[in-house]
């Protein structure tokens, strides 16, 4: 692809299953092939036949001089990047008014491929050869308004303790959460965080994984957005307890962190 070109496609679950067979691959992040693996031989042949005809009609599969079918090179390259990436950034967002959204950002060489499932059993792939494509796409998902940093400090609390405060806020309001949080956090932090927990706008989780070189745990954190504040929530490496760190941020600070993670 040229520097600012892009290639996109949408495949049904069945078409993607057949494409995976042609690539001799049995796994891809964000794809569940369990249903197809449960089919008997007759059912599998039927699915393959229908999906192959669809791929041929769309020009994604093409016969060679011998009549053997091969994936179109651009399609093969796009899917191969999702199967054998150098790095993957997984983004999962939940908003109260809509269902969860999951997107995989795969990078191989200088190419970035975004894989999502905008409609059940329909997979969308967008490939772009551009350095800042991942960060732009992630920031589009976040869709942050301009927000200042809350006038409070961060802190550390147990995950179960945080979940207890969150549930109390959703069930009984911010004051119920404040009573719980002040046992572990300052009064200012507890009040700001409780207001966010009582009226969450979005919760976006990030996990970054490098697939080559020395094996390392994924880098993971969440951005919790309320009407009043933004918070970075991340696990703390502490063998004694399941702790999380809670850090108030401005929208500019969140954008800076996202750009760093997206280009690591």
């Amino acid at each position: 692809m040229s520097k600012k070109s892009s290639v996109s496609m949408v495949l049904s679950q069945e078409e993607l299953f057949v494409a995976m067979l042609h690539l001799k691959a049995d796994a891809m992040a964000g794809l569940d092939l369990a249903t197809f693996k449960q089919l008997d031989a007759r059912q599998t042949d039927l699915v393959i036949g229908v999906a192959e005809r669809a791929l041929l009609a769309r020009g994604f599969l093409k016969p060679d001089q011998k009549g053997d079918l091969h994936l179109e090179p651009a399609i093969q390259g796009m899917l191969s990047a999702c199967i054998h990436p150098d790095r993957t950034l997984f983004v999962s967002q939940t908003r109260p008014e809509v269902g969860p959204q999951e997107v995989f950002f795969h990078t191989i060489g200088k190419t970035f491929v975004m894989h999502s499932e905008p409609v059940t059993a329909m997979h969308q792939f967008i490939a772009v050869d551009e350095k800042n494509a991942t960060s732009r796409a992630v920031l589009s998902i976040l869709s942050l308004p301009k927000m200042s940093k809350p006038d409070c400090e961060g802190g550390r609390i147990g995950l179960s303790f945080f979940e207890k405060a969150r549930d109390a806020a959703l069930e009984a309001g911010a004051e119920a959460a404040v009573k719980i949080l002040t046992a572990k956090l300052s009064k200012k932090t507890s009040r700001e965080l409780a207001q966010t927990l009582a009226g969450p706008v979005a919760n976006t989780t990030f996990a970054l994984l490098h697939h080559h070189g020395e094996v390392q745990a994924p880098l993971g954190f969440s951005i919790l957005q309320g009407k009043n504040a933004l918070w970075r929530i991340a696990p703390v490496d502490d063998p004694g307890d399941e702790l999380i760190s809670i850090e108030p941020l401005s929208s500019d600070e969140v954008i800076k962190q996202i750009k760093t993670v997206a280009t690591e």
Side-chain angles (χ1 to χ4, degrees), residues 49-221:
V50 172
E52 280 191 338
R53 286 194 292 274
L55 290 170
L56 280 165
R58 300 175 67 187
F60 292 168
L61 267 182
K62 295 182 179 179
D64 60 18
Q65 293 180 346
K66 297 180 180 179
D68 296 326
L69 298 178
H70 300 276
L71 285 172
E72 196 275 331
I75 305 304
Q76 180 172 329
M78 197 182 312
L79 294 180
S80 294
C82 298
I83 297 168
H84 304 294
D86 295 328
R87 63 191 289 278
T88 296
L89 176 62
F90 171 65
V91 181
S92 176
Q93 184 179 80
T94 301
R95 291 180 180 269
E97 71 276 12
V98 296
Q101 177 184 13
E102 295 184 349
V103 186
F104 294 84
F105 297 91
H106 300 292
T107 302
I108 183 167
K110 296 182 179 180
T111 298
F112 126 89
V113 179
M114 183 178 77
H115 171 204
S116 62
E117 193 175 351
V119 179
T120 302
M122 297 298 293
H123 295 260
Q124 182 178 45
F125 299 87
I126 302 175
V128 178
D129 187 3
E130 191 176 348
K131 183 178 180 180
N132 298 320
T134 299
S135 58
R136 288 206 327 273
V138 174
L139 291 174
S140 176
I141 292 172
L142 276 172
S143 188
L144 293 176
K146 188 72 173 179
M147 298 180 73
S148 59
K149 181 178 179 179
D151 182 21
C152 63
E153 60 188 6
R156 293 183 175 188
I157 60 176
L159 176 59
S160 59
F161 190 84
F162 173 81
E163 291 173 340
K164 180 180 178 182
R166 178 200 61 198
D167 294 344
L170 292 174
E171 292 173 8
E175 288 303 319
V178 170
K179 293 178 181 179
I180 297 172
L181 292 170
T182 49
K184 301 289 184 179
L185 301 172
S186 70
K187 290 183 179 179
K188 275 190 174 183
T189 302
S190 296
R191 189 159 298 279
E192 290 284 358
L193 181 57
Q195 290 180 23
T196 298
L197 294 176
V201 174
N203 187 14
T204 311
T205 299
F206 302 85
L208 176 64
L209 179 63
H210 291 273
H211 298 278
H212 304 301
E214 185 177 345
V215 177
Q216 50 186 295
L219 167 66
F221 64 93

Side-chain angles (χ1 to χ4, degrees), residues 21-39:
L21 291 177
H22 280 270
L23 291 170
K24 296 181 172 58
D26 58 6
M28 175 191 292
L31 174 63
D32 184 4
L33 294 175
T35 300
F36 298 110
K37 292 178 181 179
Q38 295 173 0
L39 301 177

